[in-house]
Amino acid sequence: VIQRIFYTVNRSWSGKITCNELRRSNFLQNVALLEEEADINQLTEYFSYEHFYVIYCKFWELDTDHDLYIDRKDLARHNDYAISNRMIERIFSGAVTRGRKAQKDGKISYADFVWFLISEEDKKTPTSIEYWFRCMDLDGDGALSMYELEYFYEEQCQKLDNMAIEPLPFEDCLCQMLDLVKPRHEGKITLHDLKRCKLTNVFFDTFFNIEKYLDHEQKDPFSMLRDGEGESQEVSDWEKYAAEEYDILVAEEAASDQWNDGYEAELNPVDHQKASVLKYQMEKRPFFEMPSHLADVDLAEYDYDEDFE
């Protein structure tokens, strides 16, 4: 609750909040809203626990050495290598990252990953549009030229070729994207053009996310236009994604706990005691320590029944 209060007031952890800041942030109305809602995760105006849990699990999955930083190879594994390498390079170039860690050591922090994931899963918000526009604007002139669009589309074509899918020629793809965005000035697409577009997610996915690009290709274009016109969308793409991923993570955790409980229940008292000792030793062992010798099993020492299939 304290975190939500500071987030609402837009303050850092300085420990002081002035009366004027409370008035500007409608603090009392927000507190009343929190008190009325039994399940705080239902308040989409706030960054809920479900959102945090999903982001942290995704980050922890990519951060294989668990040093709380991820590099290019780690980020490339996100969503089964769906994002192009050229876009990954742009993210680490400093176009959208803060601090010097990304440029110096080639790593981004958890905070940078938060911006990345939310922008990746909801490409319709002004913040995410600015995020990806900066990445695609290679020369930083404030406009996307046809050269920059072709630069990112080339890798998409290579991926489609590897999947035995014939890619659309760039000229045809360009015509589709220009019809989609309807830029005010010929030969370039500005940030303002993309913010006016109702289907910016389709535009961005076409140039650097192969999985979502294929999903869009399989959908009815008229249905996508209807979805884009629904500006008063009650649930955003990010909220949908977070809710779905949270349910999956909770189900996987429950299934894992159920399997472990069932396995321990089938053990006889002696085996159960051995398993408890092993579990105790594993819990005592530091998280980053190498597996113990108890895990070294030579399958050649075991004799299988001849009729075993």
Side-chain angles (χ1 to χ4, degrees):
V1 174
I2 294 176
Q3 286 179 329
R4 295 177 186 277
I5 292 173
F6 273 79
Y7 174 76
T8 304
V9 180
N10 194 24
R11 289 284 294 179
S12 62
W13 286 93
S14 61
K16 296 179 180 180
I17 301 176
T18 66
C19 294
N20 290 332
E21 287 170 338
L22 293 181
R23 294 191 187 98
R24 287 199 306 268
S25 63
N26 297 324
F27 171 74
L28 297 178
Q29 293 91 327
N30 287 318
V31 170
L33 185 64
L34 292 173
E35 291 176 347
E36 291 175 2
E37 180 59 54
D39 183 5
I40 202 169
N41 288 315
Q42 300 303 318
L43 298 175
T44 56
E45 295 87 351
Y46 298 89
F47 200 74
S48 70
Y49 168 76
E50 290 184 1
H51 295 177
F52 162 77
Y53 186 76
V54 169
I55 295 175
Y56 190 79
C57 288
K58 293 295 180 182
F59 181 83
W60 192 256
E61 180 182 348
L62 297 177
D63 183 20
T64 52
D65 57 2
H66 303 312
D67 63 347
L68 298 182
Y69 286 96
I70 56 178
D71 57 21
R72 290 173 173 81
K73 293 182 179 179
D74 293 332
L75 191 62
R77 290 189 292 105
H78 174 71
N79 199 19
D80 197 19
Y81 296 90
I83 300 177
S84 67
N85 292 323
R86 291 183 176 182
M87 179 53 68
I88 296 293
E89 289 296 324
R90 283 296 295 165
I91 292 173
F92 282 85
S93 69
V96 290
T97 53
R98 298 179 179 180
R100 300 180 180 178
K101 191 76 174 178
Q103 292 77 44
K104 182 180 178 181
D105 301 330
K107 294 183 177 182
I108 61 175
S109 65
Y110 175 77
D112 289 320
F113 180 77
V114 172
W115 287 111
F116 159 78
L117 187 61
I118 297 177
S119 299
E120 163 60 14
E121 297 304 331
D122 191 350
K123 297 184 175 72
K124 299 177 183 178
T125 66
T127 302
S128 62
I129 294 173
E130 292 175 9
Y131 184 98
W132 296 118
F133 182 85
R134 289 183 182 181
C135 289
M136 295 188 69
D137 186 13
L138 299 176
D139 54 11
D141 64 348
L144 302 182
S145 64
M146 303 305 103
Y147 163 76
E148 288 166 329
L149 298 183
E150 186 175 13
Y151 172 79
F152 287 100
Y153 190 69
E154 283 178 355
E155 187 174 348
Q156 295 289 78
C157 292
Q158 294 174 3
K159 286 190 173 184
L160 290 172
D161 284 335
N162 295 336
M163 300 168 67
I165 300 176
E166 184 177 358
L168 191 68
F170 174 71
E171 291 75 13
D172 297 338
C173 174
L174 180 61
C175 290
Q176 289 184 359
M177 293 300 103
L178 293 177
D179 290 339
L180 184 73
V181 177
K182 295 181 175 58
R184 292 186 174 181
H185 303 284
E186 185 178 355
K188 62 181 180 179
I189 297 175
T190 65
L191 180 61
H192 182 70
D193 294 330
L194 291 174
K195 287 187 175 181
R196 286 190 300 105
C197 179
K198 300 295 190 302
L199 295 173
T200 51
N201 57 325
V202 177
F203 174 83
F204 286 129
D205 291 334
T206 299
F207 292 103
F208 57 82
N209 190 310
I210 195 66
E211 294 294 334
K212 292 185 178 182
Y213 167 72
L214 293 175
D215 288 342
H216 296 318
E217 286 293 299
Q218 296 173 1
K219 290 183 180 179
D220 180 12
F222 294 102
S223 66
M224 288 196 303
L225 287 174
R226 286 194 297 269
D227 294 339
E229 291 174 356
E231 291 188 49
S232 58
Q233 202 175 355
E234 293 185 2
V235 182
S236 67
D237 290 343
W238 161 250
E239 290 161 357
K240 290 178 183 178
Y241 169 81
E244 292 173 359
E245 290 297 322
Y246 182 79
D247 290 341
I248 293 173
L249 291 170
V250 171
E252 290 177 349
E253 185 176 353
S256 177
D257 292 342
Q258 185 178 6
W259 188 89
N260 291 333
D261 293 342
Y263 174 74
E264 291 184 359
E266 294 177 0
L267 296 176
N268 59 48
V270 177
D271 291 337
H272 187 79
Q273 183 178 5
K274 292 180 179 179
S276 299
V277 173
L278 178 59
K279 183 178 180 182
Y280 173 74
Q281 292 175 345
M282 294 292 289
E283 289 176 348
K284 283 184 62 179
R285 196 151 43 85
F287 186 81
F288 298 109
E289 188 178 320
M290 294 296 291
S292 69
H293 67 280
L294 297 175
D296 297 335
V297 178
D298 187 0
L299 297 180
E301 296 179 359
Y302 291 86
D303 296 326
Y304 294 95
D305 295 335
E306 294 181 357
D307 57 346
F308 178 76
E309 295 181 0

